[in-house]
Amino acid sequence: MLKLKGSLKISGDKSISHRALILSAMSTGKARITNLLESEDVMSTLNILKELGIKIFKDGNDWIVYGNGTGGFIEPKKSLNCGNSGTTARLMIGAVSSNPINCTFIGDDSLSKRSMSRVTKHLEKIGAIVHLTKKDYLPLIIHGSEELIPCKHNIQKASAQIKSALIIAALNIHGKTKIIENIATRDHTERLLKFLNIKIKIKKIKKKAKQIELNGPYEFKAKNIDVVGDPSSASFFIVGALILPESKITLKNILLNPSRIAFIKVLKRMGGKIKVKKIKKICGEDVGNITAEHSKLRGINIPSNQSAYLIDEYPILSVAASQAKGKTIMKGLDELRYKESDRIQSIIFNLKKIGIEVHEENNNLHILGKKTKIDKDIKIKSFGDHRIAMSFSILNILFNNKLKIDNKKCINISYPDFDKHLNYLL
Ligand code: S3P
């Protein structure tokens, strides 16, 4: 039986890579970005910034960005193509909204089925003119303005993309913008703003809610940014080590932001032998090494109040649950329906194919772990969803390569080095 062994440096974090590019583009001066994730999603953001007049080029392994200021975007000559990337679309719509330019945003088939009004309804309220050509979806035309109205936004959905779009827009709005998020989500935008010495006020207002106050317009100097390893990418190998007998791996230089490593607590509750060692702070984020080894896993209940912090890890947690003893129930997965695929459906479809008892009830996912044996090839459908393809690639090791996963190239959306890194650990 194959096992995972050794130590590895995981590729740069996707969320931070998008934000490093966008905020550098809105700064003044030259930023050097190290360890930028060169995945399709991040390249969509990079190419859109170029269309908006930002000078960006590669220097060795680094990327150099010359910022044009918070109001420095130039009207693009062609449509801005976000590809498969929800983060690109939502954050860049926010970024251009407070610049006096007209932009058309387009995306691939999957992205063109994902809600954009969740961001644009807030922007319309403050004066941006938005034309959604298909009700809620791309293509979208936005007429931005330098005179958007500063006001208070109340975000009900747990979405870092909505929050970040409004924060980025507010960088070029004259006056006080207040953003209330009722469920705190990943806070990389806020951390990066602080690292860039941008004055924002953040206060807790209820147990889980927080208010972010900005007073724009801002002018800030570019700083070099080092992108740390992506914990969501690391999660595939961590689960791989837990489920494959005799495995033991160490993943280095991983982002340890609490809003991103909740999956580790979940896996530990399932019996996973995982150790996390904090080593340093880089650009406002905690960073460290994670060790994981083969463990006997048991099924658990994962409450819905965790869903904002596990949102990208449910597919690989489902793989872990399929190999655990007993039942795992993951509650409150509503938002999972609106990702790169309907991930509840994608998980159920594929786990059923390998003989796992799995069902959904009111967006709660029930998985009964079972050591199944497979003696013939089984077709797995990625649904063009990178996290589904990677999750089942890990399970595939356990099944001696009998899972035939379609469209594996979608992995390039978030982790182009996935196969290379996996082979290195095997
Ligand atoms: C992201 C936020 C999450 C996550 C996505 C990246 C971000 O989406 O699923 O992969 O970088 O802000 P939502 O917070 O909108 O659910």
Side-chain angles (χ1 to χ4, degrees):
M1 163 85 67
L2 288 169
K3 56 188 172 222
L4 299 188
K5 280 271 176 218
S7 73
L8 179 79
K9 193 174 166 234
I10 298 276
S11 303
D13 185 72
K14 180 157 82 73
S15 292
I16 296 181
S17 293
H18 286 292
R19 287 156 173 85
L21 286 169
I22 297 170
L23 292 176
S24 298
M26 295 174 82
S27 68
T28 52
K30 175 183 167 184
R32 175 178 290 274
I33 307 179
T34 310
N35 201 34
L36 185 84
L37 172 70
E38 294 180 11
S39 76
E40 286 176 6
D41 268 11
V42 176
M43 289 302 129
S44 294
T45 294
L46 190 147
N47 289 328
I48 286 177
L49 290 169
K50 281 186 177 172
E51 292 295 332
L52 292 165
I54 306 298
K55 204 170 139 199
I56 307 181
F57 59 89
K58 202 161 179 192
D59 181 29
N61 289 328
D62 301 343
W63 287 87
I64 307 291
V65 180
Y66 282 96
N68 256 354
T70 55
F73 292 128
I74 291 163
E75 189 160 289
K77 293 200 179 69
K78 52 181 196 188
S79 298
L80 302 175
N81 191 349
C82 305
N84 188 257
S85 176
T87 310
T88 304
R90 274 81 176 242
L91 270 54
M92 286 311 304
I93 288 168
V96 300
S97 69
S98 50
N99 274 239
I101 55 173
N102 299 325
C103 301
T104 301
F105 284 88
I106 57 171
D108 72 4
D109 285 351
S110 151
L111 186 59
S112 303
K113 291 188 192 102
R114 297 175 65 190
S115 166
M116 292 298 141
S117 68
R118 55 173 57 199
V119 170
T120 58
K121 70 175 184 195
H122 296 282
L123 298 173
E124 284 181 299
K125 196 176 81 185
I126 56 175
I129 299 168
V130 183
H131 178 53
L132 284 154
T133 55
K134 289 180 189 144
K135 279 194 202 152
D136 195 3
Y137 308 111
L138 298 179
L140 163 165
I141 300 156
I142 179 163
H143 307 280
S145 160
E146 263 175 329
E147 281 152 26
L148 293 188
I149 305 155
C151 84
K152 192 169 182 169
H153 302 276
N154 201 327
I155 308 175
Q156 298 299 337
K157 274 196 197 315
S159 167
Q161 293 178 353
I162 303 175
K163 169 182 66 177
S164 299
L166 298 179
I167 293 176
I168 292 168
L171 293 175
N172 198 39
I173 294 176
H174 293 243
K176 270 188 192 159
T177 295
K178 290 182 181 173
I179 300 161
I180 294 175
E181 61 168 355
N182 287 285
I183 301 168
T185 58
R186 65 186 70 188
D187 59 354
H188 309 305
T189 310
E190 297 92 306
R191 284 175 190 255
L192 211 44
L193 290 181
K194 285 196 172 165
F195 170 73
L196 292 166
N197 300 317
I198 301 167
K199 288 197 174 65
I200 55 168
K201 286 185 195 157
I202 301 176
K203 63 176 183 194
K204 262 197 173 171
I205 46 178
K206 271 182 261 154
K207 217 176 164 201
K208 280 202 149 190
K210 82 181 198 195
Q211 178 181 282
I212 303 148
E213 188 183 308
L214 297 101
N215 197 355
Y218 291 90
E219 201 185 299
F220 56 95
K221 279 216 176 77
K223 275 174 89 174
N224 295 342
I225 299 173
D226 189 4
V227 181
V228 298
D230 193 322
S232 304
S233 297
S235 69
F236 300 106
F237 302 137
I238 292 172
V239 169
L242 298 184
I243 64 173
L244 293 164
E246 292 175 36
S247 295
K248 184 166 182 177
I249 58 167
T250 299
L251 303 175
K252 293 189 170 154
N253 193 41
I254 308 293
L255 170 70
L256 298 181
N257 183 311
S259 67
R260 296 289 303 284
I261 56 166
F263 72 94
I264 291 178
K265 270 196 189 154
V266 168
L267 289 170
K268 278 185 168 179
R269 277 181 53 221
M270 293 176 80
K273 293 181 198 155
I274 306 175
K275 284 195 187 114
V276 177
K277 192 170 167 210
K278 189 179 139 185
I279 289 177
K280 53 189 167 184
K281 226 181 178 110
I282 296 181
C283 302
E285 299 274 8
D286 287 337
V287 185
N289 297 344
I290 300 175
T291 303
E293 61 185 294
H294 177 247
S295 313
K296 279 198 178 116
L297 299 180
R298 55 182 174 271
I300 57 165
N301 278 351
I302 307 174
S304 60
N305 64 11
Q306 287 302 297
S307 63
Y309 316 110
L310 298 171
I311 195 73
D312 292 336
E313 287 77 42
Y314 283 119
I316 192 65
L317 286 176
S318 304
V319 164
S322 76
Q323 300 307 308
K325 189 164 184 256
K327 192 172 189 175
T328 295
I329 307 177
M330 305 175 180
K331 293 187 178 154
L333 306 195
D334 324 24
E335 273 294 306
L336 224 55
R337 298 230 181 256
Y338 311 110
K339 293 294 172 188
E340 287 81 332
S341 69
D342 174 342
R343 285 189 177 150
I344 298 183
Q345 204 207 314
S346 311
I347 292 167
I348 293 177
F349 179 89
N350 288 312
L351 283 183
K352 273 193 175 160
K353 286 198 120 187
I354 56 163
I356 299 292
E357 229 178 86
V358 49
H359 72 277
E360 169 265 334
E361 250 173 58
N362 302 322
N363 294 323
N364 299 334
L365 191 58
H366 297 239
I367 301 172
L368 187 61
K370 190 173 147 196
K371 302 269 178 235
T372 49
K373 279 229 161 69
I374 289 177
D375 42 28
K376 60 173 195 318
D377 287 354
I378 289 183
K379 279 188 189 156
I380 294 292
K381 259 180 109 163
S382 67
F383 297 93
D385 185 329
H386 51 125
R387 299 202 195 277
I388 298 294
M390 286 187 277
S391 300
F392 283 86
S393 301
I394 294 296
L395 202 50
N396 201 16
I397 307 169
L398 200 63
F399 290 133
N400 289 322
N401 244 346
K402 291 235 173 321
L403 305 183
K404 302 297 164 200
I405 304 164
D406 74 349
N407 192 13
K408 273 191 76 180
K409 68 177 190 312
C410 66
I411 290 174
N412 291 335
I413 286 166
S414 69
Y415 199 175
D417 280 336
F418 175 78
D419 271 335
K420 190 172 111 191
H421 287 177
L422 183 56
N423 285 328
Y424 177 80
L425 291 173
L426 278 172

